[in-house]
């Protein structure tokens, strides 16, 4: 598996061709998810081939945004399928990668450990100190799409999302749940003020 080679190609493609209005679904997000995947995987004792497949899935998981937001996970799977055979990935490996990508679709419903790790990595920021900084980028993007029209709409959406979201891996639960709860409390206090 020529991960480093394909990583260069995909990151360049995303950097050059992702629509500029995507302030959240950006190259930064992809790199963030790759880092989170590595951290969670290592803590969950996932290594070798499975770790490589996870990192590859993280790399490809939002490539579908090159063609628009609608059904981008499915499109990301098609892009992965198109590229990966030429970079030393077998069809069974690509099928695993596509399963992981689909596990990031909201509401998340992963079917195995690797899918759980990518699902958690994709929303890792929910339980981090940079939650509001990253959230502002998503707010800008959703405002642009007309999904939210005010800060209040946004806070209501975030409140609902954080209340219904749950992490899957022990690592994410242990490392991110408490901070996620604190972030939710801050949103609630904003809504009540």
């Amino acid at each position: 598996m020529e991960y480093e080679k394909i990583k260069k190609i995909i990151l360049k493609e995303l950097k050059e061709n992702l629509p500029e209005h995507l302030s959240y679904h950006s190259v930064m997000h992809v790199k963030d998810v790759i880092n989170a995947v590595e951290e969670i995987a290592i803590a969950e004792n996932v290594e070798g081939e499975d770790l490589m497949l996870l990192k590859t899935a993280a790399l490809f998981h939002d490539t579908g945004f090159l063609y628009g937001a609608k059904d981008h996970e499915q499109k990301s799977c098609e892009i992965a399928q198109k590229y990966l055979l030429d970079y030393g990935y077998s069809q069974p490996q690509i099928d695993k990668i596509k399963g992981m990508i689909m596990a990031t679709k909201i509401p998340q419903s992963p079917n195995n450990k690797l899918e759980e790790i990518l699902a958690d990595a994709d929303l890792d920021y929910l339980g981090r100190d940079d939650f509001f900084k990253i959230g502002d980028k998503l707010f800008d993007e959703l405002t642009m799409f007309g999904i939210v029209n005010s800060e209040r709409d946004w806070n209501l959406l975030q409140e609902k999302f954080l209340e219904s979201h749950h992490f899957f891996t022990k690592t994410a639960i242990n490392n991110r749940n408490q901070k996620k709860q604190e972030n939710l409390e801050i949103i609630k206090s904003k809504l009540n003020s």
Side-chain angles (χ1 to χ4, degrees):
M1 292 182 281
E2 299 177 80
Y3 170 73
E4 290 303 329
K5 207 178 260 186
I6 191 64
K7 182 180 175 187
K8 269 196 189 96
I9 292 165
I10 294 301
L11 289 178
K12 183 177 189 288
E13 175 78 13
L14 292 172
K15 195 182 219 154
E16 291 173 2
N17 297 314
L18 271 178
E20 276 180 30
H21 61 258
L22 295 179
S23 44
Y24 173 81
H25 290 100
S26 63
V27 174
M28 275 288 285
H29 170 67
V30 172
K31 288 179 175 176
D32 188 53
V33 174
I34 293 169
N35 290 336
V37 140
E38 276 189 279
E39 278 176 34
I40 298 169
I42 290 164
E44 295 279 326
N45 298 311
V46 172
E47 51 195 24
E49 180 184 323
D50 281 347
L51 179 56
M52 199 52 70
L53 295 178
L54 263 168
K55 286 164 62 173
T56 307
L59 174 66
F60 278 89
H61 86 283
D62 276 344
T63 51
F65 274 99
L66 290 162
Y67 301 94
K70 188 176 168 19
D71 300 323
H72 71 272
E73 297 90 356
Q74 188 54 50
K75 198 73 189 140
S76 298
C77 290
E78 291 165 20
I79 295 166
Q81 180 65 55
K82 192 180 92 178
Y83 276 97
L84 291 175
L85 284 172
D86 296 336
Y87 289 87
Y89 291 77
S90 69
Q91 192 56 53
Q93 289 171 327
I94 295 169
D95 291 340
K96 270 188 175 176
I97 287 166
K98 293 195 290 192
M100 289 182 246
I101 292 169
M102 290 311 293
T104 65
K105 189 174 174 71
I106 307 291
Q108 296 176 324
S109 50
N111 298 309
N112 60 48
K113 176 119 171 167
L114 296 181
E115 292 180 10
E116 288 178 349
I117 292 171
L118 184 58
D120 283 352
D122 191 28
L123 295 175
D124 187 62
Y125 84 100
L126 297 178
R128 291 194 326 226
D129 292 333
D130 58 357
F131 169 75
F132 289 99
K133 195 174 132 199
I134 290 174
D136 287 346
K137 293 177 181 180
L138 187 54
F139 171 68
D140 292 344
E141 193 173 300
L142 295 179
T143 304
M144 205 282 311
F145 283 120
I147 295 167
V148 293
N149 299 310
S150 68
E151 197 171 327
R152 180 162 178 80
D153 285 354
W154 169 238
N155 284 327
L156 288 166
L157 184 72
Q158 289 210 102
E159 178 185 43
K160 193 173 155 200
F161 187 74
L162 286 174
E163 283 177 340
S164 65
H165 170 269
H166 63 274
F167 288 112
F168 299 96
T169 61
K170 251 197 184 111
T171 303
I173 291 165
N174 293 337
N175 297 347
R176 299 293 184 231
N177 253 359
Q178 191 183 339
K179 186 68 188 173
K180 184 181 87 170
Q181 218 34 59
E182 290 169 20
N183 291 333
L184 176 57
E185 294 311 316
I186 294 169
I187 291 166
K188 286 182 169 191
S189 70
K190 283 182 179 184
L191 284 167
N192 292 329
S193 63

